[in-house]
Amino acid sequence: MYFSSFPKVDFNGTTLLDITRKAILSKVVGTDALAYMNYRVEEGEKPEDVAFYYYDDPALAWLVLLSNDIIDPYTQWPKSIKGFEEYLKVQYASESGTTGDAVIEWCRNATIGSNILHYQSHTDPDISLNRASYLNASNEARAEFYPVRVYEYEFDLNEQRREISLINKSLAPYIKDSLRDALNDD
């Protein structure tokens, strides 16, 4: 449904959809706070599931993605626990020097330093140190920080992706029409 709004172009004698266009939702909806609703993606939910539950139409998954500026749902949508661990196994196999479930063990291992990404302040979450800065700090300053390991870091990123915004369902018909107009506007 989303791509049906895109204009067609001629490319070397073949008619194709012009997928290079991108609609910016804020141009269609504006910045009205009532236009959006907060939503938490539950374990295993896909954009189609959210669209079905909220909009009563799984074909509006594109609206769920567009509302959150998600271009690649494979990397930007929250992963299930199984998908998350599969991602870690691939992403960190080389760095850990292991494969399979051993990668997960490496990511979580609290007795090694090679899986520490940075050091986080206990009192101010906006302050973090890289490994070199932490090692050069005084013992007193080090006491203020704790290590953030690969597993915790990636898990927190995945959890942050669960907090999304949905366009108010009463605006969905208007958005569909406006999207069509915006994409076909030259």
Side-chain angles (χ1 to χ4, degrees):
M1 178 168 171
Y2 176 69
F3 288 110
S4 66
S5 298
F6 283 72
K8 294 183 171 127
V9 295
D10 183 57
F11 180 76
N12 290 338
T14 304
T15 302
L16 303 169
L17 287 178
D18 182 2
I19 61 170
T20 62
R21 304 258 181 131
K22 180 182 177 195
I24 299 173
L25 200 54
S26 63
K27 286 184 180 178
V28 176
V29 178
T31 57
D32 182 4
L34 298 177
Y36 295 92
M37 177 190 95
N38 293 331
Y39 184 85
R40 178 163 175 78
V41 177
E42 297 300 325
E43 174 68 18
E45 273 187 318
K46 296 180 278 238
E48 296 81 3
D49 300 327
V50 175
F52 176 74
Y53 297 139
Y54 186 66
Y55 299 113
D56 298 322
D57 185 355
L60 290 177
W62 63 267
L63 186 54
V64 173
L65 298 173
L66 189 63
S67 325
N68 294 283
D69 204 23
I70 295 175
I71 295 169
D72 181 2
Y74 298 105
T75 59
Q76 295 176 290
W77 188 258
K79 295 169 180 51
S80 66
I81 292 296
K82 181 180 177 187
F84 171 71
E85 291 191 347
E86 290 303 315
Y87 163 79
L88 290 178
K89 289 175 187 179
V90 171
Q91 189 70 22
Y92 292 97
S94 176
E95 194 172 334
S96 69
T98 60
T99 59
D101 289 340
V103 176
I104 306 300
E105 297 294 324
W106 176 86
C107 289
R108 291 180 140 169
N109 191 334
T111 64
I112 61 174
S114 60
N115 65 359
I116 297 172
L117 294 177
H118 64 270
Y119 294 83
Q120 193 72 46
S121 169
H122 286 287
T123 57
D124 187 347
D126 292 330
I127 299 175
S128 64
L129 298 176
N130 63 26
R131 188 173 186 82
S133 297
Y134 176 81
L135 293 174
N136 287 324
S138 68
N139 286 339
E140 184 179 316
R142 284 187 198 174
E144 167 62 24
F145 294 87
Y146 64 93
V148 176
R149 299 180 189 283
V150 167
Y151 193 93
E152 178 185 2
Y153 173 78
E154 293 286 357
F155 185 83
D156 287 348
L157 282 179
N158 194 55
E159 288 302 301
Q160 288 170 17
R161 289 185 191 110
R162 292 188 184 285
E163 303 301 326
I164 65 171
S165 296
L166 298 174
I167 296 293
N168 185 316
K169 66 175 143 187
S170 67
L171 296 174
Y174 168 72
I175 300 240
K176 287 192 254 182
D177 292 341
S178 298
L179 176 68
R180 188 178 318 98
D181 294 343
L183 289 173
N184 287 300
D185 194 20
D186 287 1

mmCIF file of all heavy atoms in Angstrom, residues 61-87:
data_model
loop_
_atom_site.group_PDB
_atom_site.id
_atom_site.type_symbol
_atom_site.label_atom_id
_atom_site.label_comp_id
_atom_site.label_asym_id
_atom_site.label_seq_id
_atom_site.Cartn_x
_atom_site.Cartn_y
_atom_site.Cartn_z
ATOM 1 N N ALA A 61 1.488 -0.896 8.295
ATOM 2 C CA ALA A 61 2.798 -1.041 8.953
ATOM 3 C C ALA A 61 3.734 0.071 8.493
ATOM 4 O O ALA A 61 4.567 0.547 9.272
ATOM 5 C CB ALA A 61 3.393 -2.409 8.650
ATOM 6 N N TRP A 62 3.599 0.501 7.251
ATOM 7 C CA TRP A 62 4.437 1.596 6.742
ATOM 8 C C TRP A 62 4.235 2.870 7.546
ATOM 9 O O TRP A 62 5.171 3.641 7.750
ATOM 10 C CB TRP A 62 4.172 1.853 5.254
ATOM 11 C CG TRP A 62 2.765 2.295 4.953
ATOM 12 C CD1 TRP A 62 1.714 1.501 4.611
ATOM 13 C CD2 TRP A 62 2.257 3.638 4.985
ATOM 14 N NE1 TRP A 62 0.577 2.267 4.410
ATOM 15 C CE2 TRP A 62 0.888 3.587 4.644
ATOM 16 C CE3 TRP A 62 2.822 4.877 5.255
ATOM 17 C CZ2 TRP A 62 0.079 4.704 4.573
ATOM 18 C CZ3 TRP A 62 2.019 6.006 5.183
ATOM 19 C CH2 TRP A 62 0.665 5.911 4.848
ATOM 20 N N LEU A 63 3.004 3.088 8.057
ATOM 21 C CA LEU A 63 2.728 4.274 8.855
ATOM 22 C C LEU A 63 3.408 4.181 10.222
ATOM 23 O O LEU A 63 3.919 5.170 10.740
ATOM 24 C CB LEU A 63 1.224 4.470 9.009
ATOM 25 C CG LEU A 63 0.750 5.738 9.708
ATOM 26 C CD1 LEU A 63 1.339 6.994 9.063
ATOM 27 C CD2 LEU A 63 -0.772 5.800 9.714
ATOM 28 N N VAL A 64 3.442 2.980 10.784
ATOM 29 C CA VAL A 64 4.157 2.752 12.047
ATOM 30 C C VAL A 64 5.636 3.073 11.851
ATOM 31 O O VAL A 64 6.245 3.770 12.665
ATOM 32 C CB VAL A 64 3.975 1.293 12.532
ATOM 33 C CG1 VAL A 64 4.852 1.001 13.742
ATOM 34 C CG2 VAL A 64 2.510 1.003 12.835
ATOM 35 N N LEU A 65 6.207 2.592 10.759
ATOM 36 C CA LEU A 65 7.627 2.829 10.484
ATOM 37 C C LEU A 65 7.896 4.304 10.173
ATOM 38 O O LEU A 65 8.839 4.890 10.700
ATOM 39 C CB LEU A 65 8.099 1.939 9.335
ATOM 40 C CG LEU A 65 8.002 0.431 9.590
ATOM 41 C CD1 LEU A 65 8.327 -0.346 8.326
ATOM 42 C CD2 LEU A 65 8.892 0.012 10.736
ATOM 43 N N LEU A 66 7.073 4.893 9.329
ATOM 44 C CA LEU A 66 7.253 6.289 8.939
ATOM 45 C C LEU A 66 7.125 7.222 10.141
ATOM 46 O O LEU A 66 7.873 8.189 10.264
ATOM 47 C CB LEU A 66 6.240 6.658 7.858
ATOM 48 C CG LEU A 66 6.413 8.011 7.180
ATOM 49 C CD1 LEU A 66 7.736 8.076 6.426
ATOM 50 C CD2 LEU A 66 5.254 8.267 6.232
ATOM 51 N N SER A 67 6.200 6.923 11.060
ATOM 52 C CA SER A 67 6.014 7.769 12.248
ATOM 53 C C SER A 67 7.252 7.807 13.126
ATOM 54 O O SER A 67 7.392 8.699 13.952
ATOM 55 C CB SER A 67 4.892 7.269 13.151
ATOM 56 O OG SER A 67 3.844 6.720 12.522
ATOM 57 N N ASN A 68 8.110 6.804 12.989
ATOM 58 C CA ASN A 68 9.297 6.712 13.832
ATOM 59 C C ASN A 68 10.581 6.861 13.028
ATOM 60 O O ASN A 68 11.660 6.557 13.524
ATOM 61 C CB ASN A 68 9.268 5.386 14.594
ATOM 62 C CG ASN A 68 8.121 5.371 15.568
ATOM 63 O OD1 ASN A 68 8.207 5.982 16.627
ATOM 64 N ND2 ASN A 68 7.020 4.738 15.196
ATOM 65 N N ASP A 69 10.440 7.315 11.794
ATOM 66 C CA ASP A 69 11.574 7.527 10.899
ATOM 67 C C ASP A 69 12.441 6.268 10.779
ATOM 68 O O ASP A 69 13.663 6.341 10.772
ATOM 69 C CB ASP A 69 12.411 8.734 11.344
ATOM 70 C CG ASP A 69 13.202 9.329 10.198
ATOM 71 O OD1 ASP A 69 12.807 9.123 9.031
ATOM 72 O OD2 ASP A 69 14.230 9.978 10.465
ATOM 73 N N ILE A 70 11.780 5.120 10.721
ATOM 74 C CA ILE A 70 12.475 3.839 10.570
ATOM 75 C C ILE A 70 12.555 3.519 9.086
ATOM 76 O O ILE A 70 11.540 3.334 8.419
ATOM 77 C CB ILE A 70 11.762 2.711 11.340
ATOM 78 C CG1 ILE A 70 11.824 3.006 12.841
ATOM 79 C CG2 ILE A 70 12.378 1.359 11.013
ATOM 80 C CD1 ILE A 70 11.054 2.026 13.703
ATOM 81 N N ILE A 71 13.769 3.463 8.593
ATOM 82 C CA ILE A 71 14.005 3.160 7.185
ATOM 83 C C ILE A 71 14.282 1.672 7.010
ATOM 84 O O ILE A 71 13.838 1.061 6.059
ATOM 85 C CB ILE A 71 15.174 4.001 6.646
ATOM 86 C CG1 ILE A 71 14.777 5.478 6.686
ATOM 87 C CG2 ILE A 71 15.578 3.575 5.247
ATOM 88 C CD1 ILE A 71 15.891 6.441 6.439
ATOM 89 N N ASP A 72 15.019 1.098 7.947
ATOM 90 C CA ASP A 72 15.391 -0.315 7.874
ATOM 91 C C ASP A 72 14.841 -1.062 9.086
ATOM 92 O O ASP A 72 15.449 -1.054 10.152
ATOM 93 C CB ASP A 72 16.910 -0.452 7.816
ATOM 94 C CG ASP A 72 17.365 -1.889 7.716
ATOM 95 O OD1 ASP A 72 16.517 -2.805 7.653
ATOM 96 O OD2 ASP A 72 18.588 -2.119 7.715
ATOM 97 N N PRO A 73 13.687 -1.711 8.948
ATOM 98 C CA PRO A 73 13.105 -2.398 10.102
ATOM 99 C C PRO A 73 13.950 -3.577 10.599
ATOM 100 O O PRO A 73 13.796 -3.999 11.739
ATOM 101 C CB PRO A 73 11.742 -2.879 9.598
ATOM 102 C CG PRO A 73 11.831 -2.854 8.124
ATOM 103 C CD PRO A 73 12.849 -1.829 7.759
ATOM 104 N N TYR A 74 14.855 -4.076 9.782
ATOM 105 C CA TYR A 74 15.698 -5.191 10.216
ATOM 106 C C TYR A 74 16.730 -4.756 11.250
ATOM 107 O O TYR A 74 17.132 -5.543 12.095
ATOM 108 C CB TYR A 74 16.389 -5.847 9.015
ATOM 109 C CG TYR A 74 15.400 -6.437 8.047
ATOM 110 C CD1 TYR A 74 15.130 -5.816 6.837
ATOM 111 C CD2 TYR A 74 14.692 -7.589 8.367
ATOM 112 C CE1 TYR A 74 14.192 -6.338 5.961
ATOM 113 C CE2 TYR A 74 13.745 -8.115 7.505
ATOM 114 C CZ TYR A 74 13.508 -7.484 6.304
ATOM 115 O OH TYR A 74 12.573 -7.998 5.460
ATOM 116 N N THR A 75 17.147 -3.503 11.198
ATOM 117 C CA THR A 75 18.144 -3.029 12.162
ATOM 118 C C THR A 75 17.578 -1.994 13.136
ATOM 119 O O THR A 75 18.115 -1.844 14.234
ATOM 120 C CB THR A 75 19.360 -2.406 11.450
ATOM 121 O OG1 THR A 75 18.926 -1.304 10.642
ATOM 122 C CG2 THR A 75 20.069 -3.426 10.587
ATOM 123 N N GLN A 76 16.515 -1.286 12.765
ATOM 124 C CA GLN A 76 16.000 -0.214 13.605
ATOM 125 C C GLN A 76 14.781 -0.601 14.440
ATOM 126 O O GLN A 76 14.409 0.135 15.344
ATOM 127 C CB GLN A 76 15.655 1.008 12.738
ATOM 128 C CG GLN A 76 16.863 1.630 12.073
ATOM 129 C CD GLN A 76 16.470 2.760 11.156
ATOM 130 O OE1 GLN A 76 15.870 2.549 10.108
ATOM 131 N NE2 GLN A 76 16.797 3.977 11.554
ATOM 132 N N TRP A 77 14.161 -1.718 14.143
ATOM 133 C CA TRP A 77 13.005 -2.190 14.907
ATOM 134 C C TRP A 77 13.525 -3.041 16.065
ATOM 135 O O TRP A 77 14.512 -3.754 15.911
ATOM 136 C CB TRP A 77 12.091 -3.016 14.010
ATOM 137 C CG TRP A 77 10.794 -3.379 14.668
ATOM 138 C CD1 TRP A 77 10.474 -4.585 15.206
ATOM 139 C CD2 TRP A 77 9.652 -2.540 14.854
ATOM 140 N NE1 TRP A 77 9.205 -4.547 15.724
ATOM 141 C CE2 TRP A 77 8.674 -3.290 15.519
ATOM 142 C CE3 TRP A 77 9.365 -1.217 14.526
ATOM 143 C CZ2 TRP A 77 7.428 -2.779 15.862
ATOM 144 C CZ3 TRP A 77 8.132 -0.713 14.874
ATOM 145 C CH2 TRP A 77 7.173 -1.483 15.530
ATOM 146 N N PRO A 78 12.870 -3.002 17.250
ATOM 147 C CA PRO A 78 13.356 -3.817 18.370
ATOM 148 C C PRO A 78 13.331 -5.304 18.045
ATOM 149 O O PRO A 78 12.379 -5.799 17.437
ATOM 150 C CB PRO A 78 12.402 -3.479 19.513
ATOM 151 C CG PRO A 78 11.242 -2.795 18.898
ATOM 152 C CD PRO A 78 11.677 -2.238 17.585
ATOM 153 N N LYS A 79 14.387 -5.966 18.449
ATOM 154 C CA LYS A 79 14.506 -7.394 18.182
ATOM 155 C C LYS A 79 13.900 -8.205 19.333
ATOM 156 O O LYS A 79 13.903 -7.770 20.479
ATOM 157 C CB LYS A 79 15.986 -7.760 18.039
ATOM 158 C CG LYS A 79 16.664 -7.130 16.848
ATOM 159 C CD LYS A 79 18.179 -7.315 16.934
ATOM 160 C CE LYS A 79 18.920 -6.706 15.770
ATOM 161 N NZ LYS A 79 18.594 -5.328 15.469
ATOM 162 N N SER A 80 13.406 -9.390 19.018
ATOM 163 C CA SER A 80 12.986 -10.331 20.055
ATOM 164 C C SER A 80 14.257 -10.807 20.769
ATOM 165 O O SER A 80 15.370 -10.601 20.267
ATOM 166 C CB SER A 80 12.266 -11.527 19.420
ATOM 167 O OG SER A 80 13.185 -12.267 18.632
ATOM 168 N N ILE A 81 14.120 -11.453 21.907
ATOM 169 C CA ILE A 81 15.289 -11.952 22.636
ATOM 170 C C ILE A 81 16.092 -12.895 21.740
ATOM 171 O O ILE A 81 17.319 -12.786 21.653
ATOM 172 C CB ILE A 81 14.881 -12.653 23.953
ATOM 173 C CG1 ILE A 81 14.316 -11.634 24.936
ATOM 174 C CG2 ILE A 81 16.052 -13.408 24.566
ATOM 175 C CD1 ILE A 81 15.297 -10.577 25.384
ATOM 176 N N LYS A 82 15.415 -13.780 21.057
ATOM 177 C CA LYS A 82 16.110 -14.724 20.162
ATOM 178 C C LYS A 82 16.821 -13.954 19.042
ATOM 179 O O LYS A 82 17.978 -14.206 18.743
ATOM 180 C CB LYS A 82 15.125 -15.730 19.571
ATOM 181 C CG LYS A 82 15.776 -16.740 18.673
ATOM 182 C CD LYS A 82 14.780 -17.725 18.104
ATOM 183 C CE LYS A 82 15.490 -18.664 17.163
ATOM 184 N NZ LYS A 82 14.601 -19.537 16.444
ATOM 185 N N GLY A 83 16.123 -13.011 18.411
ATOM 186 C CA GLY A 83 16.718 -12.210 17.345
ATOM 187 C C GLY A 83 17.879 -11.368 17.849
ATOM 188 O O GLY A 83 18.893 -11.201 17.166
ATOM 189 N N PHE A 84 17.738 -10.851 19.060
ATOM 190 C CA PHE A 84 18.787 -10.053 19.685
ATOM 191 C C PHE A 84 20.050 -10.889 19.878
ATOM 192 O O PHE A 84 21.157 -10.467 19.534
ATOM 193 C CB PHE A 84 18.286 -9.507 21.026
ATOM 194 C CG PHE A 84 19.337 -8.849 21.859
ATOM 195 C CD1 PHE A 84 19.864 -7.620 21.492
ATOM 196 C CD2 PHE A 84 19.806 -9.452 23.018
ATOM 197 C CE1 PHE A 84 20.836 -7.002 22.266
ATOM 198 C CE2 PHE A 84 20.769 -8.839 23.795
ATOM 199 C CZ PHE A 84 21.292 -7.621 23.419
ATOM 200 N N GLU A 85 19.892 -12.082 20.411
ATOM 201 C CA GLU A 85 21.061 -12.936 20.646
ATOM 202 C C GLU A 85 21.684 -13.414 19.333
ATOM 203 O O GLU A 85 22.902 -13.527 19.234
ATOM 204 C CB GLU A 85 20.706 -14.081 21.587
ATOM 205 C CG GLU A 85 20.448 -13.549 22.991
ATOM 206 C CD GLU A 85 20.351 -14.609 24.065
ATOM 207 O OE1 GLU A 85 20.243 -15.817 23.732
ATOM 208 O OE2 GLU A 85 20.388 -14.221 25.255
ATOM 209 N N GLU A 86 20.859 -13.653 18.325
ATOM 210 C CA GLU A 86 21.403 -14.020 17.005
ATOM 211 C C GLU A 86 22.215 -12.858 16.436
ATOM 212 O O GLU A 86 23.269 -13.064 15.840
ATOM 213 C CB GLU A 86 20.283 -14.437 16.040
ATOM 214 C CG GLU A 86 19.628 -15.757 16.391
ATOM 215 C CD GLU A 86 20.606 -16.916 16.465
ATOM 216 O OE1 GLU A 86 21.471 -17.056 15.579
ATOM 217 O OE2 GLU A 86 20.510 -17.698 17.441
ATOM 218 N N TYR A 87 21.717 -11.648 16.605
ATOM 219 C CA TYR A 87 22.444 -10.457 16.171
ATOM 220 C C TYR A 87 23.801 -10.378 16.864
ATOM 221 O O TYR A 87 24.820 -10.129 16.223
ATOM 222 C CB TYR A 87 21.599 -9.211 16.473
ATOM 223 C CG TYR A 87 22.384 -7.923 16.445
ATOM 224 C CD1 TYR A 87 22.710 -7.307 15.242
ATOM 225 C CD2 TYR A 87 22.804 -7.311 17.633
ATOM 226 C CE1 TYR A 87 23.437 -6.122 15.222
ATOM 227 C CE2 TYR A 87 23.526 -6.133 17.618
ATOM 228 C CZ TYR A 87 23.843 -5.541 16.419
ATOM 229 O OH TYR A 87 24.569 -4.380 16.397
#
